[in-house]
Amino acid sequence: MILTVTLNTALDITYRVRSLRPHTSHRVSEVTERPGGKGVNVARVLAALGHEVTVTGFTGGATGRVVQERLASVPGVVDALVPITGATRRTIAVVDDRSGDTTQLNEPGPTVTPAEWSAFQEAYEALLPTASAVALCGSLPPGVPVGAYAGLVRTARSTGIPVLLDTSGEPLRRGVAARPDIIKPNTDELAELTGSHDPVRATQDARRRGAGAVVASLGAEGLLAATPEGRWRAAPPSTLHGNPTGAGDSAVAGLLSALVEHLPWPDRLTRAVALSAATVSAPVAGEFDRRVYEELLGRVTVTSEASAA
């Protein structure tokens, strides 16, 4: 079982409009609601790849009940969310059909009490013995300590379970110091962590700060990975247009699934890039187009570079 942690779960709502313009009213052509938050998106993709997945984090209020109802209909995903008093947040994505651009509005999330945080930590520790890998994903809701991910990384590593961390800002800086096996920042998050805007230098620096491996998202250019076995760039054969929402989460799912299948790094990166690109091509945010994914598996270019420091 792969365990994904989403401390700031969400109900993802996607609106499609003909053309998004400020200061005007819009007629929405299509509305989609789905359980969300980065770790939930990762879990959905992992389940579609055939892996057993358990989702944990927080859920609360009427929105939280909708999230759990929708999760119950996702094959292969087990709901282990911890109830809280506050209401689960919503995220709004507005897709402009004319330009293809997406505008994202993310609520901050409910305030988590100290007692609720303690209850989550107990639930997390109880789930670890059956986990083959852990993904810690997304932002922290109000009330959760800024060093929360660092503590969760240490707890998993103490039981020998590999951990992938995908967050940003101070939670990432503190989490890296706890020595996660993999981090997956984008270039902006990596620059904020290291102070360097050169991705090659920044990935090496992030490893020196404690990350076992660093897989940096380069947007349409693919991924750059610095690992103990070497450094690679992985790129799709061409730029795909569509909705990028959830593409990074699909990359995380690709890395995690390949990790538990004991695939070498080039194959992990191939899968991650193919899944990410197939998510951009999917008609619904956070899904992936299986036909595109299977086509891209044989067309992703992985190039070995100088050995990572």
Side-chain angles (χ1 to χ4, degrees), residues 31-301:
V31 181
T32 304
E33 291 186 351
R34 54 191 300 109
K38 294 179 72 65
V40 174
N41 294 338
V42 171
R44 187 184 301 109
V45 175
L46 285 168
L49 293 172
H51 289 272
E52 294 183 359
V53 193
T54 296
V55 172
T56 191
F58 295 112
T59 182
T63 307
R65 287 193 292 273
V66 174
V67 167
Q68 292 187 284
E69 289 169 2
R70 300 294 173 87
L71 270 180
S73 65
V74 181
V77 174
V78 174
D79 174 2
L81 293 169
V82 175
I84 59 174
T85 302
T88 297
R89 66 183 178 135
R90 297 162 297 176
T91 66
I92 311 295
V94 183
V95 180
D96 184 321
D97 285 333
R98 180 169 296 175
S99 68
D101 291 337
T102 301
T103 299
Q104 193 82 16
L105 303 173
N106 296 328
E107 296 179 357
T111 297
V112 177
T113 68
E116 290 166 342
W117 173 236
S118 294
F120 168 79
Q121 291 175 286
E122 292 177 5
Y124 175 73
E125 292 179 16
L127 290 166
L128 286 177
T130 57
S132 56
V134 175
L136 305 173
C137 303
S139 61
L140 300 179
V144 172
V146 70
Y149 282 136
L152 297 180
V153 169
R154 292 189 187 97
T155 300
R157 284 183 55 82
S158 69
T159 60
I161 299 170
V163 184
L164 186 152
L165 176 62
D166 183 14
T167 188
S168 60
E170 186 65 12
L172 175 60
R173 190 184 69 81
R174 297 198 186 193
V176 165
R179 310 187 71 81
D181 296 87
I182 306 172
I183 63 170
K184 198 216 69 64
N186 60 34
T187 52
D188 290 339
E189 293 162 350
L190 190 59
E192 183 181 9
L193 172 66
T194 65
S196 174
H197 291 274
D198 176 358
V200 172
R201 181 178 300 171
T203 54
Q204 292 171 334
D205 184 31
R207 287 201 64 223
R208 285 191 289 268
R209 290 167 183 259
V214 182
V215 181
S217 174
L218 306 178
E221 297 178 13
L223 299 172
L224 172 65
T227 81
E229 288 78 31
R231 190 168 67 235
W232 291 271
R233 288 182 186 266
S238 60
T239 300
L240 297 175
H241 299 285
N243 185 353
T245 305
D249 303 330
S250 291
V252 169
L255 293 170
L256 268 181
S257 62
L259 169 68
V260 300
E261 293 171 29
H262 307 291
L263 298 182
W265 271 105
D267 291 343
R268 298 184 197 183
L269 298 171
T270 294
R271 181 178 293 181
V273 168
L275 278 171
S276 181
T279 298
V280 173
S281 301
V284 178
E287 298 286 354
F288 71 93
D289 186 315
R290 188 171 290 275
R291 178 187 60 80
V292 172
Y293 165 63
E294 292 174 353
E295 287 179 357
L296 287 174
L297 280 175
R299 301 175 62 203
V300 172
T301 301

